Amino acid sequence: MTEEFRFELVSPERVLASEEADAVDLPASEGDMTAMRDHAALITTLKPGLLRVKSHSGTREFVVTGGFVEVSAEATTVLAEKAYAGDEITDELIDGFVSDAEKRVSETEGAARDIAETRLACMKSLRSEITR
Amino acid sequence: MPSLKDLKIRIESVKSTRKITKAMQMVAAAKLRRAQEAAENARPYSERLANVMSGLAASAQDSPSAPAMLAGTGKSDTYLLIAATAERGLCGGFNSSIIRMVKARARELIKEGKTVKILTIGKKGREQLKREFEEAFVGHVDLSGHRRVGSEAAEAIAAQVRDMFATGEFDVAVIFFSRFKSVISQEPTARQLIPLQFEEAAGGDRRFYNFEPAEADILDELLPKAVSNQVFSALLENAASEQGARMSAMDNATRNAGDMIDKLTIVYNRSRQAAITKELIEIISGAEAL
């Protein structure tokens, strides 16, 4: 058995990362989780949040706005709705997400509104996490 | 026999045409590189999504509660044909080959007694399909404002299609676009969007996954995404094909203009020479008469 654990982050438009990793912190919709080698095969959805990849060369952070992830013993593949890396993550970007989510809350009703509100809460916590 | 002046004008005009086609070819080549890159960058996502989806779909298809987007409505009375073409012409057979395919399919379906609805993406498709299928039109998407195909544009189209499906406006949706094989070869393709179809994942080894939340919930969330992604990848392929087709069409046009200039130049030189000879003969016979 190999000792490798591959991390891949792809968005519909491009491949953002494809590298070896030790651990990946994921903002899964049922609660944050960490995927490491030999994790049980799992498919889960993501909420908007911060994705952290720890490898021997350090920790990298990505912002994802949702999507889903496929975890297996040898690899973690994140299929993000939209993903941003490194210096693409700016205050304006995050503020844009928050105001978009706020707009959606004010426009929708009923069950869709609940979803929109959850999204807004995620965006806000993402903002506080980044500014911290 | 056209006069020397006429020939000269003619040569100049072909030369300026050649300049234009050459410029268009170079622009298309630059755009092609970008479009091709975008299409290639998008492929990993589509592939992985299709992989996961085909696994999910296989297990969901058997259950009676499978979502309609996957299992279909159980009927196939109304077809939505989505024709993705270019906003501009001058790209060889690119637009017409897609349109020909849509028309053939539409006629076939009408003959079988099905209802056909048409949604066009891109101006060229609308112009040409409107003539024959005016009453079948349900909408048009204008992409001329976008310089590059973005996932937002695809998402908007997919949302429109999903809304129509949710309100029962059609049973089967098919998107027509041109698959980018290489710069010189683009293949008009029909891809069924709803009910979704996936090619079986290569290798065929099925992993057993845990699902969080439950499998059905994930499927509900993934299906719309899969539809959007299929539209997106179709648009990207189309954009690359369009530029490829335009590049080779303009390359041909440039070469033809070159050939024409060569021919006209020969005719021009010959008639110039003939005129000189004629003048010489006149002078000589004039001198001899003295």
Side-chain angles (χ1 to χ4, degrees), chain A residues 46-60:
Chain A
L46 293 178
K47 62 182 190 210
L50 206 56
L51 202 144
R52 228 175 253 119
V53 186
K54 293 180 195 117
S55 65
H56 55 87
S57 56
T59 304
R60 284 174 74 191

PDB file of all heavy atoms in Angstrom, chain A residues 46-60:
ATOM      1  N   LEU A  46     -20.821  20.196   0.434  1.00  0.00           N
ATOM      2  CA  LEU A  46     -20.085  21.232   1.148  1.00  0.00           C
ATOM      3  C   LEU A  46     -20.967  22.462   1.319  1.00  0.00           C
ATOM      4  O   LEU A  46     -21.798  22.755   0.478  1.00  0.00           O
ATOM      5  CB  LEU A  46     -18.835  21.646   0.361  1.00  0.00           C
ATOM      6  CG  LEU A  46     -17.720  20.630   0.195  1.00  0.00           C
ATOM      7  CD1 LEU A  46     -16.616  21.236  -0.644  1.00  0.00           C
ATOM      8  CD2 LEU A  46     -17.190  20.195   1.549  1.00  0.00           C
ATOM      9  N   LYS A  47     -20.728  23.163   2.431  1.00  0.00           N
ATOM     10  CA  LYS A  47     -21.348  24.480   2.576  1.00  0.00           C
ATOM     11  C   LYS A  47     -20.271  25.522   2.269  1.00  0.00           C
ATOM     12  O   LYS A  47     -19.087  25.177   2.216  1.00  0.00           O
ATOM     13  CB  LYS A  47     -21.896  24.634   3.990  1.00  0.00           C
ATOM     14  CG  LYS A  47     -20.801  24.567   5.040  1.00  0.00           C
ATOM     15  CD  LYS A  47     -21.345  24.670   6.424  1.00  0.00           C
ATOM     16  CE  LYS A  47     -20.175  24.841   7.377  1.00  0.00           C
ATOM     17  NZ  LYS A  47     -20.322  24.341   8.681  1.00  0.00           N
ATOM     18  N   PRO A  48     -20.663  26.769   2.086  1.00  0.00           N
ATOM     19  CA  PRO A  48     -19.634  27.785   1.833  1.00  0.00           C
ATOM     20  C   PRO A  48     -18.687  27.851   3.015  1.00  0.00           C
ATOM     21  O   PRO A  48     -19.139  27.851   4.158  1.00  0.00           O
ATOM     22  CB  PRO A  48     -20.435  29.085   1.712  1.00  0.00           C
ATOM     23  CG  PRO A  48     -21.831  28.668   1.438  1.00  0.00           C
ATOM     24  CD  PRO A  48     -22.011  27.332   2.061  1.00  0.00           C
ATOM     25  N   GLY A  49     -17.432  27.888   2.769  1.00  0.00           N
ATOM     26  CA  GLY A  49     -16.509  27.937   3.894  1.00  0.00           C
ATOM     27  C   GLY A  49     -15.060  27.864   3.458  1.00  0.00           C
ATOM     28  O   GLY A  49     -14.722  27.976   2.284  1.00  0.00           O
ATOM     29  N   LEU A  50     -14.236  27.651   4.450  1.00  0.00           N
ATOM     30  CA  LEU A  50     -12.804  27.660   4.242  1.00  0.00           C
ATOM     31  C   LEU A  50     -12.287  26.222   4.212  1.00  0.00           C
ATOM     32  O   LEU A  50     -12.636  25.414   5.057  1.00  0.00           O
ATOM     33  CB  LEU A  50     -12.154  28.417   5.406  1.00  0.00           C
ATOM     34  CG  LEU A  50     -10.813  29.083   5.176  1.00  0.00           C
ATOM     35  CD1 LEU A  50     -10.886  30.052   4.016  1.00  0.00           C
ATOM     36  CD2 LEU A  50     -10.400  29.814   6.440  1.00  0.00           C
ATOM     37  N   LEU A  51     -11.486  25.957   3.223  1.00  0.00           N
ATOM     38  CA  LEU A  51     -10.945  24.619   3.064  1.00  0.00           C
ATOM     39  C   LEU A  51      -9.448  24.710   3.346  1.00  0.00           C
ATOM     40  O   LEU A  51      -8.772  25.576   2.792  1.00  0.00           O
ATOM     41  CB  LEU A  51     -11.203  24.222   1.620  1.00  0.00           C
ATOM     42  CG  LEU A  51     -11.232  22.759   1.233  1.00  0.00           C
ATOM     43  CD1 LEU A  51     -12.292  22.596   0.174  1.00  0.00           C
ATOM     44  CD2 LEU A  51      -9.909  22.348   0.683  1.00  0.00           C
ATOM     45  N   ARG A  52      -8.973  23.847   4.228  1.00  0.00           N
ATOM     46  CA  ARG A  52      -7.560  23.963   4.613  1.00  0.00           C
ATOM     47  C   ARG A  52      -6.831  22.678   4.256  1.00  0.00           C
ATOM     48  O   ARG A  52      -7.298  21.593   4.598  1.00  0.00           O
ATOM     49  CB  ARG A  52      -7.481  24.212   6.116  1.00  0.00           C
ATOM     50  CG  ARG A  52      -6.555  25.349   6.462  1.00  0.00           C
ATOM     51  CD  ARG A  52      -6.586  25.641   7.949  1.00  0.00           C
ATOM     52  NE  ARG A  52      -7.303  26.869   8.229  1.00  0.00           N
ATOM     53  CZ  ARG A  52      -8.395  26.953   8.968  1.00  0.00           C
ATOM     54  NH1 ARG A  52      -8.912  25.870   9.528  1.00  0.00           N
ATOM     55  NH2 ARG A  52      -8.974  28.108   9.195  1.00  0.00           N
ATOM     56  N   VAL A  53      -5.723  22.815   3.577  1.00  0.00           N
ATOM     57  CA  VAL A  53      -4.956  21.638   3.187  1.00  0.00           C
ATOM     58  C   VAL A  53      -3.621  21.672   3.907  1.00  0.00           C
ATOM     59  O   VAL A  53      -2.848  22.613   3.754  1.00  0.00           O
ATOM     60  CB  VAL A  53      -4.695  21.625   1.664  1.00  0.00           C
ATOM     61  CG1 VAL A  53      -4.035  20.327   1.265  1.00  0.00           C
ATOM     62  CG2 VAL A  53      -5.986  21.812   0.912  1.00  0.00           C
ATOM     63  N   LYS A  54      -3.363  20.633   4.701  1.00  0.00           N
ATOM     64  CA  LYS A  54      -2.079  20.592   5.399  1.00  0.00           C
ATOM     65  C   LYS A  54      -1.190  19.574   4.714  1.00  0.00           C
ATOM     66  O   LYS A  54      -1.597  18.434   4.472  1.00  0.00           O
ATOM     67  CB  LYS A  54      -2.286  20.191   6.860  1.00  0.00           C
ATOM     68  CG  LYS A  54      -3.035  21.251   7.639  1.00  0.00           C
ATOM     69  CD  LYS A  54      -3.235  20.824   9.081  1.00  0.00           C
ATOM     70  CE  LYS A  54      -4.281  21.714   9.738  1.00  0.00           C
ATOM     71  NZ  LYS A  54      -5.473  20.947  10.144  1.00  0.00           N
ATOM     72  N   SER A  55      -0.010  20.019   4.365  1.00  0.00           N
ATOM     73  CA  SER A  55       0.949  19.085   3.796  1.00  0.00           C
ATOM     74  C   SER A  55       2.320  19.408   4.391  1.00  0.00           C
ATOM     75  O   SER A  55       2.449  20.359   5.162  1.00  0.00           O
ATOM     76  CB  SER A  55       0.971  19.208   2.276  1.00  0.00           C
ATOM     77  OG  SER A  55       1.445  20.476   1.918  1.00  0.00           O
ATOM     78  N   HIS A  56       3.326  18.641   4.014  1.00  0.00           N
ATOM     79  CA  HIS A  56       4.649  18.870   4.612  1.00  0.00           C
ATOM     80  C   HIS A  56       5.190  20.251   4.276  1.00  0.00           C
ATOM     81  O   HIS A  56       6.000  20.806   4.977  1.00  0.00           O
ATOM     82  CB  HIS A  56       5.629  17.777   4.170  1.00  0.00           C
ATOM     83  CG  HIS A  56       5.714  17.648   2.677  1.00  0.00           C
ATOM     84  ND1 HIS A  56       6.576  18.403   1.933  1.00  0.00           N
ATOM     85  CD2 HIS A  56       5.009  16.887   1.814  1.00  0.00           C
ATOM     86  CE1 HIS A  56       6.418  18.103   0.658  1.00  0.00           C
ATOM     87  NE2 HIS A  56       5.472  17.189   0.557  1.00  0.00           N
ATOM     88  N   SER A  57       4.697  20.832   3.167  1.00  0.00           N
ATOM     89  CA  SER A  57       5.209  22.142   2.775  1.00  0.00           C
ATOM     90  C   SER A  57       4.415  23.284   3.408  1.00  0.00           C
ATOM     91  O   SER A  57       4.644  24.447   3.082  1.00  0.00           O
ATOM     92  CB  SER A  57       5.196  22.274   1.257  1.00  0.00           C
ATOM     93  OG  SER A  57       3.898  22.034   0.774  1.00  0.00           O
ATOM     94  N   GLY A  58       3.473  22.964   4.282  1.00  0.00           N
ATOM     95  CA  GLY A  58       2.728  24.027   4.948  1.00  0.00           C
ATOM     96  C   GLY A  58       1.232  23.886   4.742  1.00  0.00           C
ATOM     97  O   GLY A  58       0.753  22.879   4.241  1.00  0.00           O
ATOM     98  N   THR A  59       0.525  24.930   5.136  1.00  0.00           N
ATOM     99  CA  THR A  59      -0.928  24.891   5.048  1.00  0.00           C
ATOM    100  C   THR A  59      -1.406  25.883   3.984  1.00  0.00           C
ATOM    101  O   THR A  59      -0.939  27.012   3.938  1.00  0.00           O
ATOM    102  CB  THR A  59      -1.556  25.281   6.405  1.00  0.00           C
ATOM    103  OG1 THR A  59      -1.039  24.409   7.396  1.00  0.00           O
ATOM    104  CG2 THR A  59      -3.066  25.165   6.363  1.00  0.00           C
ATOM    105  N   ARG A  60      -2.306  25.398   3.132  1.00  0.00           N
ATOM    106  CA  ARG A  60      -2.893  26.299   2.134  1.00  0.00           C
ATOM    107  C   ARG A  60      -4.381  26.406   2.383  1.00  0.00           C
ATOM    108  O   ARG A  60      -5.017  25.457   2.815  1.00  0.00           O
ATOM    109  CB  ARG A  60      -2.668  25.755   0.720  1.00  0.00           C
ATOM    110  CG  ARG A  60      -1.244  25.955   0.237  1.00  0.00           C
ATOM    111  CD  ARG A  60      -1.050  25.276  -1.092  1.00  0.00           C
ATOM    112  NE  ARG A  60      -1.698  25.994  -2.176  1.00  0.00           N
ATOM    113  CZ  ARG A  60      -1.832  25.467  -3.399  1.00  0.00           C
ATOM    114  NH1 ARG A  60      -1.410  24.254  -3.641  1.00  0.00           N
ATOM    115  NH2 ARG A  60      -2.405  26.165  -4.356  1.00  0.00           N
TER     116      ARG A  60
END
